Amino acid sequence: SQPPPKHRLFGTASHTYGGMGGEPGDQEPSPASARRHVLLLCSPCMGHLIPFAELARRLVADHGLAATLLFAAATDAPSEQYAALAASVPDGVDLVALPAPPADALPPSTPVRERVVHAALSAVPHVRDIAGSLTSTAPLAALVVDMASVPARDVATELGVPCYMFFTSPWMLLSLFLHLPELDAGLVGEYRDATEPIRLPGCVPIHARELPGAMLADRSSETYAGFLSLAKDAARVDGILVNTFRELEPAVGQGGTDCVKDMPVHAIGPLVWTRPVGVNREPEHARLITWLDQQARGSVVFLSFGSGGTLTRRQTTELALALEATGRPFIWAAKRPHEDTADGAFFGTGRGGDDDDDPLGFLPRGFVERTAGVGLVLLSWAPQTAILGHAAVGCFVTHCGWNSSLEGILNGVPMVAWPLYAEQKMNAAMLEAYAGVAARLNAAGPGNGNGFVCKEEIVSVIRRVMDGEEAAMMRRRVGELRDRATHALAMDGSSTLALAKVTALWKSSTSRDEK
């Protein structure tokens, strides 16, 4: 029999908030129920939920708080990724899936960003109900939201508690985000037509081609207006926690101000997924580790485009042929191709599909058989942290989502940067030009075009990252950053001290309110 889940659906059972995991109502009252409580609200982005879960764990384990993590679902059926995370939620964290908006509330063609914002807005009444229940049993210390969930700030105002944003992307994007209203007011024309890069303090220059997609849309469009509205909303919170560390982005708090545009900012990262694999994944995990144990040190290429990234069928074929051409051992967390968008799995992947009889039928004919002794192809799921942490892995082909970028650094693995959507091109630029731990694919080179990357380019960049003097320099640099990241999270590290400073502030404000 399976262990009880450490999460629940909102409204499925009576529950005393402040419980320490397990089925609602199945525990005796404990001293934790009297702990000051932090309520965290995450929009329906797996890339946000992973660091939110780790932040909640640290608040409980290291700072003596209780934590309830609310997930504003966008779809009724939980994704495979959500189910895996929910099965591994640490003790002390109560994960609650809020009801998704009605399926017909938005047209099927609604872009991802609008669906995310809609789900976050729909969650606010549930947040208000849950916050009210929490305050009846224990003092509420703070509400923590992500960038799409700032409208829930009104609940914090009503209850008289601080509202902080946890920004799960790098400080460079946060700086762009907070400066956007000012940039918008001074711009003539469109961002995509700018010939000069955007220069922000402490950041690499941001060229037009590297900007988030919403900033490349017409400034008169709803897409851009929504992004600008999110940026203006950010000014409503009381402070910002950002998932980075000063040794990677030294400009955080430059000059000792700990502020960006007068907003208190605290670098508390790198927070990545550190939990064991979810239930029913142990045998598959063990087989992967056994296979890696048989490979030479630093010889394996690991490829993953995150929880949401997808490639077209043509690009998937080209990537497969490139892997075969390298002759190197590989592990590829592949997804079914998506022809219309690079974020086709943004809300997660379910189990099964149209190709159940041949789940890898989208790969070139004979590829799986020809590479059977060399590589492994996993459909969607891979224990990324465990793979990157294995000494056999010498190269990480990544979409440059921030979670994956931090995991690459924390495990000391040089990267091939293949950004797909959102702010990933900015991340790639920073990882290559500033951090020196990645090499970017050139999608504009010979044989490429419209975002397509040819086999020769893929092979060339993998070799750059794994062979020769440039590769040796990347390995040294990422090793240095790995050590600094580890220290940032130590008891006397900059990120641990920054989070302790914030939680002390939350506790003191709660104590004053109780007097």
Side-chain angles (χ1 to χ4, degrees):
S1 64
Q2 295 183 4
K6 295 180 180 178
H7 71 110
R8 63 192 177 87
L9 299 175
F10 176 59
T12 58
S14 60
H15 180 46
T16 300
Y17 291 98
M20 301 297 285
E23 278 294 308
D26 68 355
Q27 296 158 2
E28 294 299 317
S30 71
S33 63
R35 290 180 175 188
R36 292 174 178 83
H37 214 108
V38 177
L39 187 61
L40 304 99
L41 173 63
C42 180
S43 64
C45 311
M46 283 304 301
H48 294 193
L49 183 60
I50 289 168
F52 258 80
E54 180 62 13
L55 172 59
R57 185 191 73 80
R58 287 180 175 269
L59 292 174
V60 172
D62 300 340
H63 301 282
L65 294 160
T68 295
L69 173 54
L70 310 179
F71 182 67
T75 57
D76 287 329
S79 70
E80 185 179 14
Q81 291 85 351
Y82 177 86
L85 183 144
S88 303
V89 170
D91 291 340
V93 176
D94 190 13
L95 174 61
V96 181
L98 300 178
D104 58 357
L106 296 173
S109 60
T110 303
V112 161
R113 186 197 59 78
E114 293 179 31
R115 292 172 67 190
V116 166
V117 171
H118 179 67
L121 278 171
S122 300
V124 173
H126 303 304
V127 176
R128 182 174 283 108
D129 291 344
I130 292 172
S133 297
L134 283 172
T135 55
S136 68
T137 60
L140 187 63
L143 172 66
V144 179
V145 299
D146 66 5
M147 63 181 289
S149 302
V150 174
R153 196 250 186 277
D154 294 342
V155 176
T157 301
E158 293 162 11
L159 295 173
V161 299
C163 178
Y164 274 60
M165 180 194 294
F166 180 30
F167 196 78
T168 57
S169 294
W171 178 86
M172 181 171 70
L173 180 62
L174 174 61
S175 183
L176 176 65
F177 199 57
L178 294 178
H179 282 92
L180 186 59
E182 177 186 327
L183 292 170
D184 179 77
L187 182 68
V188 176
E190 303 291 347
Y191 289 101
R192 62 177 178 268
D193 298 325
T195 56
E196 288 295 314
I198 295 172
R199 300 182 188 276
L200 299 173
C203 297
V204 297
I206 306 169
H207 298 273
R209 64 182 179 273
E210 296 160 351
L211 290 170
M215 290 182 66
L216 298 178
D218 290 345
R219 292 169 65 213
S220 60
S221 68
E222 290 185 9
T223 297
Y224 177 75
F227 190 72
L228 180 61
S229 176
L230 285 177
K232 291 178 177 177
D233 248 8
R236 299 179 58 211
V237 299
D238 299 304
I240 298 178
L241 312 175
V242 59
N243 195 18
T244 192
F245 57 107
R246 287 190 173 182
E247 292 79 2
L248 176 61
E249 297 189 274
V252 180
Q254 201 170 51
T257 61
D258 285 328
C259 288
V260 178
K261 302 294 291 181
D262 298 323
M263 175 63 66
V265 175
H266 309 271
I268 64 166
L271 300 185
V272 301
W273 190 241
T274 58
R275 303 292 295 168
V277 293
V279 67
N280 293 336
R281 289 296 192 185
E282 291 87 350
E284 192 171 351
H285 178 270
R287 284 193 295 271
L288 280 172
I289 299 303
T290 298
W291 184 87
L292 283 167
D293 288 342
Q294 297 167 355
Q295 311 306 315
R297 184 181 184 89
S299 66
V300 175
V301 180
F302 173 52
L303 305 93
S304 174
F305 296 100
S307 55
T310 48
L311 305 176
T312 63
R313 185 173 291 272
R314 179 185 175 215
Q315 185 66 81
T316 300
T317 297
E318 197 77 359
L319 174 54
L321 296 177
L323 285 175
E324 194 172 354
T326 67
R328 297 181 180 275
F330 66 84
I331 297 177
W332 180 9
K335 296 191 187 75
R336 293 182 178 88
H338 201 292
E339 299 304 315
D340 300 323
T341 177
D343 58 4
F346 188 87
F347 293 113
T349 52
R351 300 179 184 274
D354 297 335
D355 301 321
D356 281 353
D357 291 340
D358 185 10
L360 298 177
F362 56 84
L363 295 173
R365 186 180 301 276
F367 170 78
V368 173
E369 292 76 16
R370 291 193 303 271
T371 60
V374 181
L376 299 175
V377 180
L378 313 175
L379 190 56
S380 295
W381 179 86
Q384 180 162 298
T385 303
I387 292 171
L388 288 172
H390 198 285
V393 176
C395 171
F396 180 22
V397 180
T398 172
H399 64 312
C400 298
W402 194 235
N403 292 331
S404 291
S405 301
L406 292 177
E407 288 181 12
I409 290 170
L410 271 169
N411 288 286
V413 181
M415 290 169 263
V416 169
W418 191 333
L420 296 178
Y421 61 92
E423 83 285 358
Q424 292 163 9
K425 291 180 180 179
M426 286 177 58
N427 296 351
M430 191 265 278
L431 292 171
E432 181 183 55
Y434 183 80
V437 299
R440 276 185 288 182
L441 289 163
N442 180 12
N448 303 331
N450 295 322
F452 178 78
V453 185
C454 68
K455 176 181 72 174
E456 293 76 14
E457 173 70 6
I458 299 168
V459 171
S460 172
V461 178
I462 288 176
R463 287 176 176 161
R464 276 179 59 197
V465 171
M466 299 190 78
D467 300 327
E469 186 176 338
E470 184 180 7
M473 290 177 60
M474 279 190 213
R475 285 194 295 272
R476 283 196 298 271
R477 178 61 179 154
V478 77
E480 293 168 0
L481 279 177
R482 174 194 57 207
D483 294 343
R484 293 174 183 176
T486 301
H487 183 259
L489 295 174
M491 290 304 292
D492 61 343
S494 59
S495 293
T496 299
L497 295 175
L499 185 56
K501 176 182 175 181
V502 172
T503 57
L505 183 66
W506 292 347
K507 292 174 184 176
S508 66
S509 62
T510 310
S511 298
R512 287 196 301 270
D513 292 341
E514 290 174 334
K515 292 178 181 178

